[in-house]
Amino acid sequence: MEKIICFINMFAAEAKVYRLDEDNNQDLINTIPVEKLSAGLAIISANSKINHITLIGAPTYADAIVPEIIEYAKTNFNNNDLIVEVMR
């Protein structure tokens, strides 16, 4: 199963987003400004047809944006199957 992996560093202006394939190969998809992370991740998920997002780093911030990502995906892309997890 493919996943979208997002590394969040609160001291950086942008977060790096990778695609992780079944063989654990990572490919950089994009960088997203931290203030637009919720919408950006939902858009990447919809465009790539990958319904699993893992957030790594800044767990307090990551926990706070999980509902925003899911709501954006549901509202704008009718994606009710999105899974968003925070790795600790």
Side-chain angles (χ1 to χ4, degrees):
M1 173 173 67
E2 288 186 313
K3 286 185 181 182
I4 295 170
I5 307 292
C6 178
F7 292 95
I8 303 170
N9 179 349
M10 294 310 298
F11 300 106
E14 296 181 326
K16 292 185 178 183
V17 181
Y18 295 86
R19 171 180 290 150
L20 183 69
D21 67 16
E22 294 86 8
D23 297 324
N24 289 328
N25 297 316
Q26 288 184 13
D27 296 315
L28 181 65
I29 297 174
N30 206 343
T31 56
I32 303 172
V34 172
E35 66 271 5
K36 297 181 180 181
L37 202 51
S38 299
L41 288 171
I43 291 167
I44 288 172
S45 172
N47 289 341
S48 64
K49 307 285 191 248
I50 299 173
N51 285 329
H52 195 139
I53 298 173
T54 301
L55 306 174
I56 300 172
T60 303
Y61 177 76
D63 284 334
I65 67 167
V66 167
E68 295 173 16
I69 297 167
I70 292 170
E71 184 62 31
Y72 194 95
K74 285 181 182 178
T75 304
N76 294 287
F77 302 107
N78 198 29
N79 184 351
N80 295 314
D81 299 326
L82 185 62
I83 298 167
V84 182
E85 64 181 353
V86 178
M87 186 175 286
R88 304 197 183 284

